[in-house]
Amino acid sequence: MKLNIKGIITNLTPGKAKGEAARHARRAYRQKPFSFSQTVFIAALIFLFLPLLVLIVYSFNESKGMGWTGFSMVWYEQLFLHSRDLWRAFWNSILIAITSAGTATVFGTLGAVGVNWYRFRLRNYVQAISFLPMILPEVIIGVSLSLFFAGIKLKLGLLTIFIAHTTFNLPFVFLMVMARLDEFDFSIIEAAHDLGANEQQTFLKVTVPICMPGIVSGFLTAVTISLEDFVITYFVAGPGSTTLPLYIYSAIRFGVSPVINALSVVMILGTVALTYLLRNFLKYIAAK
Amino acid sequence: MSANSSIRRHYGLFYSAPMTVWFTAFFLAPLLIIVLYSFLRKGLYGGVTMGQFTLDAYRNLSNPSFVIITIRTLVTALIATFITILIALPCGYFMARSKNQTFLLLLIIIPFWTNFLIRVFAWMNILGNNGFLNDLLIRIGLIDNYIQFLYNQGSVILVLVYMYLPYAILPLFSTIDKFDFSLLEAARDLGATKPQSMFRVLLPNIRSGLYTAVLFTFIPIFGAYAVPLLVGGKDSYMLGNVIADQLTKARNWPLASAISMVLTVITTAGVLIMMNLQKKDANRTVDLKAKGAGN
C-alpha cells in the first residue's frame, strides 16, 4: 500500500480546529518532565535521524570505504561533474513524474467531479476500482503490469513507466479532490446553472477554482510519489529507461559508490527546501 | 431537485470516463491477467501456454519451501507491526499532549522526505561489516572483530520498523489528539493508577486509530520487496521476493501469478477484517450514544 504521508503533511495547517474541552484539558494536565512517552519519543527521533546523520557525515569522508579518513568534498565534485548517467536518470525521473502526475491530475479531477456530484450506473464500480490500487502491495501492481505489457507486446521503456506511474498516482489525486469537493455545497453549482452557465462554463469557472487546493496538492503528492517509486518502476522499466531510484538501486547493489552519500544529502536538502516552499504556496492558495 | 438530478445523471459518466477507462485498462486488466496466468501451464521457454488450464501452479504452492516462506512473511510482518505500534503509541500520545504539535509532526516526517532506497542504504552504512556501528563498537573496545549485523531476519525487521514507523504514528496521533484528556484525570481522581487509566480509559477510546495504524503498517510490510532484497539474506526472503524471482529468474509466470494471488488474498482479508472491526466499533459508539440519549 502506498500511503499519502507526504501529502497529509503538506496539507497540514498549524491552527487546526479542536474541541474546546480537549484544549482545556491539555492545558490543565501538564506533562511531567521526562515522562515515559517523552523518553520513547526522543528515542524514536534519534532512531529516525541517525541514518540521515551518518549519510551526511560519510558524504564528506575522504576515502571510498566506511572508515573515516578525513574531510573532503570529492564526492560532491564527482556527483556534479562526473556522473552523467546519474543525471540522465534524474531527468528521466523528473519527466515521468511531471507527465504522469499531470495526466493523473486531469483524469482524477474529472473522475472525482463525476463520482461526487453525479449519480450513474457505473458509479460503484468507478469508486471501488479507484481505491484498490492503494491497498494492493506494490509488487503485485508491478508484476501484473509487467505481464500485461508483455501480453500486449508493448516494449518496456519510458512509456510503460509513465503508464504505471499514472495508474498508481490517480487514486491520490482522486481522493484529494474528492475530499475537497465533500466540503462544498452543490448549491453553488446549481446557482451557476440557474444563472445561465452551461456545463462547460460551470466546470471551468466554478468547479475547478473551488477544487484548486485539492488539485494542486493532489498533483504535488503525485509528483513526490512518482519520484520516490522503486518497486513498480523496477518491473516496468526497460533497458535504457533508468529512473533515479533505479540508478540508486544498482549503485547500492553493484558496488556502493560514496557518490550516493553526496546525492542523498543534496536530495534531503532539496526536498526540505521544496516542501517548505510548497507549504507556504499552499497556505497562500488557501488564503486566497 | 428534479432539474438538478437530470443534470446529475447526464454528465457523470462523461466526467468519469477517462479515469474509468484508464483503471480498467491498466489496473483491472493486468490483475485479471495474473488470475488467468495462475491457472495456465508454464511455457517451454518461459511465459505461458495459452488454452491449457491446470492447477499446477497452485499445487506447487504446497511445496514446503513456499509454505515456509509464507509463514516467515506472516511472522516477520506481525513482529515488525507489533514493534512499530509499541513505539508509535507513546510517540503519538506525547505528540498529542504537546503544545508544539506541528513542529513535532515535522520532525517525524522530515526523515521520510528522503528517498526510500537512500534510507535503506543509510542502514546498510550503519549495520555493514565496516559500517558505523561496528566501527564504533571496535573503537570503544567492546568487540575485537566485526559482527555481521546485515543480511538476516533481524536487520529486515529493524529496517521495516524504521520505514513504517510514521505510518503508525500519524493515525495514532490524530486519534489521540481527538481524545478528551479530562477523562484521564477523572479516572485518576476515581482512584485508577496511571497504567490503569491508560489501558482501561485511553486504549479503548483510541481503538479505531489503533486499527488504522495496524492496517497501514501490516499491509505494506507484508508485501515488502525492496527491504528484504537489500538487507535480508537468502533465508530472510519474503513473498514479494519470491514472486519477483519466479517472474524474472525462473521465468515461471504461472507460479509467480499464483503466489501473487496468495499475497493479494491475504492482504485483502487483512483489509476486510480491519474495516469490519472499525465498523463494529463505530456501531458500538452509536449504540452507546443512543442509550445515553434514551436515559
Side-chain angles (χ1 to χ4, degrees):
Chain A
M1 177 165 47
K2 299 180 75 69
L3 291 163
N4 174 20
I5 304 277
K6 294 177 186 183
I8 294 167
I9 296 310
T10 324
N11 278 332
L12 270 177
T13 41
K16 299 179 280 166
K18 224 172 271 156
E20 191 61 36
R23 199 179 308 146
H24 237 74
R26 184 169 300 118
R27 210 173 294 146
Y29 193 107
R30 281 273 152 75
Q31 282 278 318
K32 274 181 295 175
F34 297 108
S35 64
F36 172 71
S37 63
Q38 184 171 21
T39 316
V40 175
F41 184 78
I42 290 170
L45 278 188
I46 295 171
F47 177 54
L48 292 178
F49 279 91
L50 176 78
L52 303 190
L53 293 178
V54 169
L55 276 184
I56 293 172
V57 171
Y58 278 128
S59 76
F60 295 106
N61 191 5
E62 198 178 18
S63 79
K64 205 178 159 84
M66 295 285 179
W68 181 261
T69 49
F71 180 88
S72 157
M73 293 287 280
V74 62
W75 305 116
Y76 287 90
E77 196 191 313
Q78 274 274 325
L79 171 67
F80 285 111
L81 301 178
H82 309 289
S83 304
R84 273 189 57 202
D85 288 350
L86 188 154
W87 289 103
R88 195 176 300 129
F90 172 79
W91 289 115
N92 277 344
S93 274
I94 298 279
L95 177 73
I96 298 275
I98 288 174
T99 52
S100 71
T103 313
T105 304
V106 174
F107 289 5
T109 304
L110 288 172
V113 171
V115 170
N116 206 20
W117 282 346
Y118 302 91
R119 302 285 169 270
F120 55 96
R121 217 183 293 158
L122 281 173
R123 190 167 176 266
N124 285 336
Y125 167 75
V126 178
Q127 243 177 330
I129 204 174
S130 57
F131 174 65
L132 271 172
M134 298 216 287
I135 50 172
L136 275 190
E138 287 175 274
V139 174
I140 304 290
I141 297 179
V143 167
S144 66
L145 276 170
S146 152
L147 290 176
F148 172 76
F149 291 137
I152 62 170
K153 302 214 158 47
L154 189 58
K155 215 170 134 247
L156 296 182
L158 287 181
L159 177 65
T160 52
I161 302 180
F162 160 77
I163 292 174
H165 282 219
T166 307
T167 304
F168 66 69
N169 278 336
L170 249 172
F172 292 100
V173 181
F174 176 75
L175 281 185
M176 290 180 130
V177 179
M178 278 288 265
R180 180 74 185 170
L181 284 167
D182 278 341
E183 293 168 13
F184 272 88
D185 203 351
F186 190 74
S187 55
I188 301 172
I189 309 294
E190 272 177 66
H193 276 294
D194 288 347
L195 292 169
N198 63 28
E199 187 65 31
Q200 190 196 338
Q201 287 169 324
T202 314
F203 180 74
L204 290 178
K205 299 214 159 139
V206 182
T207 313
V208 168
I210 284 175
C211 299
M212 207 31 115
I215 295 175
V216 172
S217 49
F219 175 77
L220 296 175
T221 310
V223 168
T224 46
I225 294 174
S226 170
L227 286 177
E228 171 92 5
D229 183 79
F230 161 68
V231 177
I232 297 174
T233 316
Y234 177 74
F235 288 105
V236 297
S241 58
T242 307
T243 62
L244 193 58
L246 291 183
Y247 181 90
I248 295 171
Y249 170 73
S250 57
I252 296 175
R253 214 65 222 280
F254 311 106
V256 165
S257 150
V259 172
I260 298 297
N261 285 330
L263 174 71
S264 315
V265 176
V266 172
M267 282 175 71
I268 296 168
L269 292 179
T271 33
V272 169
L274 208 65
T275 327
Y276 178 76
L277 288 175
L278 288 180
R279 268 172 60 88
N280 288 347
F281 178 62
L282 284 179
K283 266 189 220 156
Y284 166 78
I285 289 190
K288 212 166 65 163
Chain B
M1 202 58 202
S2 64
N4 165 18
S5 64
S6 84
I7 302 171
R8 285 190 148 195
R9 211 162 299 137
H10 211 75
Y11 289 102
L13 207 56
F14 169 75
Y15 278 124
S16 316
M19 190 176 85
T20 313
V21 171
W22 187 280
F23 275 135
T24 309
F26 299 123
F27 178 67
L28 193 66
L31 275 190
L32 291 178
I33 282 192
I34 286 196
V35 179
L36 174 71
Y37 280 10
S38 71
F39 291 105
L40 288 178
R41 203 176 291 283
K42 178 179 182 275
L44 205 51
Y45 307 102
V48 288
T49 319
M50 282 296 168
Q52 293 193 22
F53 290 93
T54 164
L55 287 173
D56 275 3
Y58 288 97
R59 252 178 241 129
N60 272 333
L61 289 182
S62 59
N63 184 320
S65 66
F66 286 118
V67 176
I68 289 172
I69 290 172
T70 309
I71 294 172
R72 181 197 297 146
T73 308
L74 259 173
V75 171
T76 309
L78 286 173
I79 295 176
T81 306
F82 183 71
I83 299 174
T84 309
I85 301 285
L86 226 52
I87 304 174
L89 259 175
C91 289
Y93 179 80
F94 177 75
M95 288 162 70
R97 288 318 273 277
S98 156
K99 277 171 278 159
N100 308 316
Q101 291 185 341
T102 317
F103 176 67
L104 295 187
L105 268 172
L106 219 65
L107 279 184
I108 292 292
I109 292 306
I110 282 175
F112 295 87
W113 281 333
T114 315
N115 185 289
F116 178 87
L117 284 174
I118 286 181
R119 279 178 282 141
V120 180
F121 172 60
W123 276 106
M124 296 170 80
N125 268 338
I126 293 177
L127 301 175
N129 289 348
N130 307 312
F132 174 76
L133 189 58
N134 270 316
D135 198 40
L136 190 78
L137 290 177
I138 290 172
R139 263 170 213 237
I140 58 177
L142 263 178
I143 52 174
D144 299 326
N145 213 338
Y146 69 80
I147 303 173
Q148 168 111 19
F149 292 114
L150 273 179
Y151 312 119
N152 55 46
Q153 195 79 17
S155 57
V156 172
I157 292 178
L158 174 80
V159 177
L160 284 172
V161 169
Y162 182 83
M163 290 300 156
Y164 296 103
L165 190 56
Y167 289 64
I169 292 183
L170 291 180
L172 283 172
F173 160 74
S174 70
T175 321
I176 300 176
D177 194 40
K178 288 187 204 108
F179 175 76
D180 183 355
F181 289 108
S182 54
L183 289 176
L184 285 183
E185 273 175 273
R188 297 296 297 278
D189 287 347
L190 292 168
T193 62
K194 198 164 183 196
Q196 275 175 331
S197 68
M198 286 293 159
F199 283 105
R200 306 185 62 171
V201 179
L202 180 71
L203 269 188
N205 273 294
I206 58 162
R207 257 198 313 246
S208 69
L210 209 57
Y211 296 146
T212 314
V214 170
L215 197 68
F216 277 18
T217 31
F218 179 79
I219 288 176
I221 291 180
F222 186 68
Y225 169 73
V227 172
L229 183 69
L230 286 167
V231 301
K234 259 277 176 254
D235 49 348
S236 35
Y237 258 30
M238 292 169 71
L239 277 180
N241 307 100
V242 183
I243 297 175
D245 269 3
Q246 287 300 327
L247 180 81
T248 53
K249 287 186 194 136
R251 294 193 60 76
N252 190 340
W253 290 8
L255 190 54
S257 302
I259 308 169
S260 301
M261 296 293 291
V262 173
L263 199 62
T264 308
V265 167
I266 299 182
T267 309
T268 315
V271 174
L272 290 178
I273 292 170
M274 283 298 165
M275 274 163 66
N276 208 19
L277 281 174
Q278 246 165 355
K279 205 184 276 172
K280 255 192 211 149
D281 224 46
N283 284 343
R284 182 157 36 199
T285 321
V286 173
D287 277 355
L288 285 176
K289 276 193 184 139
K291 266 183 209 152
N295 294 335

